[in-house]
Amino acid sequence: MSTAADPALAPRLPDTLRLGPVHLTVSNLGGSIAFYERALGLQLHDRDGEVATMGAGSEDLLALVEESGAAPGGRHAGLYHFALLLPTRQELARAVQRLAGAGTRIEGASDHGVSEAIYLRDPDDNGIELYVDRPRDAWPPPRSAGERVEMYTIALDMKDLMREVEGEDPPPHAGPGLAMGHVHLHVGDVERALAFYRDVVGFEVMANIGSAAFVSAGGYHHHLGFNVWLGPDVKPLPPNTAGLREWTVVLQSAAEVAAVRARASAAGLEPTERDGGFLVRDPWETAVVFSVG
């Protein structure tokens, strides 16, 4: 894989990119379905044996695949968290109400400047972020050369957030505007990850703090983050381990998918055909699917 020396010549994913479903290995499908229904307000779209799809009533957001006895992820490459984007601040507050009603522990609550976010984990220790974006014209300007936005972490003002729904009872289901907003991965080397996700796939760098980088299409703050917080020697996720199976990038046309496939092949990778699109793996064997939708 080659590093793009001239940003003007670098490959670029289309601005219309969006994310599709995240596929997870879970150890107990029934228990995971119950968790996502009760705590997050997701709906079961379909269940076929050991596979279930869930979302907010329209497109699938999650695909859960049971592997009985799957061990927790531990210190491996792969998922740091997947992030569900809510359409309004009120919906984020309602999500917090649902978590409280389900007795689900919130692991963190942060203001990132570009967004406000709640963090938690599912029964298999898969990381989850629930967040709402601030308007783009309110995003903090970059402080470093070569970056396009500043993202910081300070404590979320929970009292102010919950005033959005004061006196309300939350609806049992998440609203139809829920979407997969971004995915954040553990990797072993940020520059090596950039050589794949920027120089081959075509994401643009929005911010790079050294131990983590955030990349996107269309000027979004990030569709993908990756960090080395588990150490530079992190290994791929072993078989029969709970965690990320694959995540999905949705493009508008077969030609757009073919362009990414051609770059992957030219870089010496081996794309695998997948339902009109293809699957390719990053240097730590984390799978990403490119599809048309």
Side-chain angles (χ1 to χ4, degrees), residues 85-86 89 92 110-117 119 129 131-142 148-154 156 182 206-207 214 216 219-223:
L85 174 62
L86 294 113
R89 201 165 187 255
L92 180 61
S110 299
D111 182 338
H112 295 300
V114 298
S115 63
E116 295 174 289
Y119 297 92
E129 176 182 342
Y131 77 109
V132 63
D133 281 332
R134 286 199 169 94
R136 289 200 182 199
D137 59 9
W139 291 357
R148 297 179 59 187
V149 69
E150 183 191 4
M151 287 183 280
Y152 53 73
T153 299
I154 61 175
L156 178 63
H182 66 265
M206 297 299 291
F214 303 89
S216 78
Y220 190 55
H221 55 73
H222 69 299
H223 288 108

Side-chain angles (χ1 to χ4, degrees), residues 90-91 93-94 97 162-171:
Q90 290 87 350
E91 287 298 319
R94 291 177 186 126
Q97 287 180 317
M162 300 315 295
R163 288 191 192 102
E164 298 279 354
V165 292
E166 196 168 10
E168 288 187 18
D169 291 324

Side-chain angles (χ1 to χ4, degrees), residues 238-255:
N240 200 36
T241 304
L244 182 63
R245 299 175 71 88
E246 61 192 53
W247 60 287
T248 312
V249 173
V250 181
L251 304 177
Q252 285 196 326
S253 71

Side-chain angles (χ1 to χ4, degrees), residues 15-36:
D15 292 354
T16 51
L17 174 151
R18 61 187 180 86
L19 298 192
V22 164
H23 295 235
L24 300 174
T25 296
V26 300
S27 60
N28 182 310
L29 185 57
S32 290
I33 291 170
F35 168 83
Y36 283 105

